[in-house]
Amino acid sequence: MLLCSIIRDVALDIKKSNDDFKQKLLVKKLSNRISADRKQTSISDDKLYPAFCELAAENSKLFEKFRQNPIYKTVLEHVSEYQGSELLWHIFLNEGGGKFNKENWDNFKLNDKIGSPAMYDYSKWFNNYGNVAGKQTISPTTIRYVKVLQDIIRIFNKEKLSKIAEIGIGYGGQARIISSYIQNVNTYYLFDLPEVLKLANKYVSAIESYSNGSTTKFVYIDGTTDFQDIDLDFVISNYAFSELTRPVQDIYLNKVILKAKKGYITWNELSHKHFGGYSLNELLEIIPNSVVIEEKPLSYINNNIIIWGSDAEIC
């Protein structure tokens, strides 16, 4: 019943926007994708989410507001207004590791030019604690991406991060934040499902008209294919790796993670609980010199961050 309701809602959204897509065509495409014969690779590889990503990449009206869509928000764009405040507090509290000025924040906020995300007025936080004047409206998801960037430049020497890979890329927002700030990044590999890559590629193409062109460093790799091993300076994954099935985790471990000199993986229990994926302790044994740090602010109980190759003393 929930699935049918979501499909009807999406179809109605497109009908209201006077898009040329007909409701029946949308439902048919979604249904075909949902029933497609592909073995599930992760929690989000539920047929519905990748189907929506492909449709949003194909249809301009759906793309305009894809970050508001209920299907999309089951996987991404669900950081709340309050969580955005918590993230800002931690960003401003840890400015010793990475202080961002108004120019930086203006660049970060370019992420919200595409996809019509939910945005909130955080002016009091910026004005009172961040020393950034004026009205500051931004999406909580973008704030979270900035917090991850701050962690990275606080823990690692950014001058040594020229070849980066991200496992589970969303729409490419985290990648754009990182690559636009860390100027010496020359290659940024994005691993995900083919439908997700298609939407991210469209987003990146759209954001290039606003950004400094750093997105041209992106290389898109279909994680469902037999891709080659990649030697890396750094690998990042925000929850995605820990939501993969164990066989897929093995592929990424051998071909990406263990090839990286440094890494930052936000880990949750979903794969371990539902797919028999690796536990936190198992990963610490597998990844050389890896340690656990707290996720601050904590997004969900028992979440942690695994890092290795740190260039700083981390408490």
Side-chain angles (χ1 to χ4, degrees):
M1 292 298 291
L2 177 60
L3 178 59
C4 293
S5 174
I6 291 175
I7 291 175
R8 284 197 303 271
D9 288 345
V10 176
L12 185 59
D13 285 345
I14 288 186
K15 184 178 180 182
K16 286 179 179 178
S17 67
N18 297 317
D19 195 286
D20 291 334
F21 266 33
K22 302 296 183 181
Q23 289 189 46
K24 288 183 179 179
L25 177 59
L26 175 66
V27 174
K28 181 180 178 181
K29 281 197 170 187
L30 279 169
S31 299
N32 287 344
R33 280 294 178 185
I34 294 164
S35 61
D37 186 21
R38 181 171 76 201
K39 190 173 182 180
Q40 188 173 11
T41 62
S42 67
I43 296 291
S44 59
D45 187 13
D46 60 356
K47 310 308 178 193
L48 188 58
Y49 168 69
F52 174 78
C53 288
E54 179 155 321
L55 286 171
E58 292 176 354
N59 182 265
S60 59
K61 290 296 182 181
L62 200 55
F63 179 73
E64 284 177 8
K65 297 183 178 180
F66 79 91
R67 290 169 68 180
Q68 295 182 17
N69 188 275
I71 294 176
Y72 200 76
K73 291 178 74 171
T74 60
V75 178
L76 292 156
E77 293 296 321
H78 47 247
V79 183
S80 69
E81 180 181 7
Y82 174 74
Q83 288 173 318
S85 298
E86 282 191 309
L87 288 159
L88 281 174
W89 172 249
H90 281 274
I91 289 170
F92 298 142
L93 186 68
N94 290 305
E95 282 188 334
K99 181 176 175 62
F100 304 123
N101 58 29
K102 187 177 186 301
E103 183 181 357
N104 298 142
W105 280 105
D106 286 344
N107 171 56
F108 300 150
K109 290 193 294 182
L110 292 178
N111 268 36
D112 297 334
K113 292 283 188 182
I114 306 297
S116 301
M119 299 170 66
Y120 303 97
D121 185 354
Y122 292 105
S123 298
K124 69 176 183 179
W125 289 94
F126 282 92
N127 301 167
N128 297 336
Y129 305 106
N131 198 28
V132 178
K135 186 172 183 179
Q136 301 296 326
T137 304
I138 188 170
S139 77
T141 297
T142 296
I143 296 173
R144 188 180 73 177
Y145 290 157
V146 175
K147 174 59 172 66
V148 171
L149 169 65
Q150 188 190 57
D151 279 354
I152 291 170
I153 61 178
R154 181 171 59 90
I155 297 170
F156 307 98
N157 182 348
K158 66 178 183 293
E159 302 304 321
K160 297 179 181 180
L161 308 181
S162 62
K163 206 172 182 182
I164 296 176
E166 184 172 346
I167 301 169
I169 64 166
Y171 54 84
Q174 180 73 79
R176 198 206 74 83
I177 292 286
I178 291 173
S179 63
S180 66
Y181 185 85
I182 304 178
Q183 294 295 315
N184 60 305
V185 175
N186 58 44
T187 310
Y188 199 119
Y189 298 96
L190 300 102
F191 290 89
D192 215 310
L193 299 170
E195 300 88 354
V196 176
L197 294 176
K198 191 172 181 179
L199 176 59
N201 198 350
K202 179 159 184 160
Y203 171 86
V204 166
S205 297
I207 206 72
E208 278 188 325
S209 62
Y210 299 101
S211 70
N212 61 10
S214 62
T215 51
T216 57
K217 304 168 183 176
F218 291 173
V219 178
Y220 300 87
I221 301 180
D222 180 353
T224 66
T225 63
D226 185 19
F227 56 85
Q228 294 183 343
D229 299 15
I230 299 177
D231 290 320
L232 299 161
D233 296 315
F234 183 69
V235 63
I236 177 176
S237 184
N238 291 327
Y239 312 100
F241 174 76
S242 59
E243 296 182 4
L244 297 169
T245 62
R246 191 175 182 117
V248 179
Q249 285 182 332
D250 281 330
I251 293 170
Y252 279 110
L253 276 167
N254 293 322
K255 294 191 172 188
V256 182
I257 291 172
L258 294 178
K259 301 290 183 179
K261 301 179 183 71
K262 306 171 188 293
Y264 177 104
I265 296 176
T266 310
W267 181 91
N268 62 29
E269 296 181 313
L270 289 180
S271 174
H272 181 56
K273 282 188 171 182
H274 300 289
F275 290 147
Y278 286 102
S279 69
L280 182 63
N281 288 334
E282 286 175 322
L283 289 173
L284 292 173
E285 291 180 4
I286 293 170
I287 303 171
N289 303 313
S290 58
V291 296
V292 171
I293 62 172
E294 291 181 72
E295 184 193 28
K296 296 180 180 179
L298 187 65
S299 59
Y300 196 77
I301 187 171
N302 293 330
N303 283 8
N304 286 281
I305 298 172
I306 303 171
I307 65 167
W308 64 97
S310 169
D311 297 297
E313 290 293 329
I314 303 300
C315 298

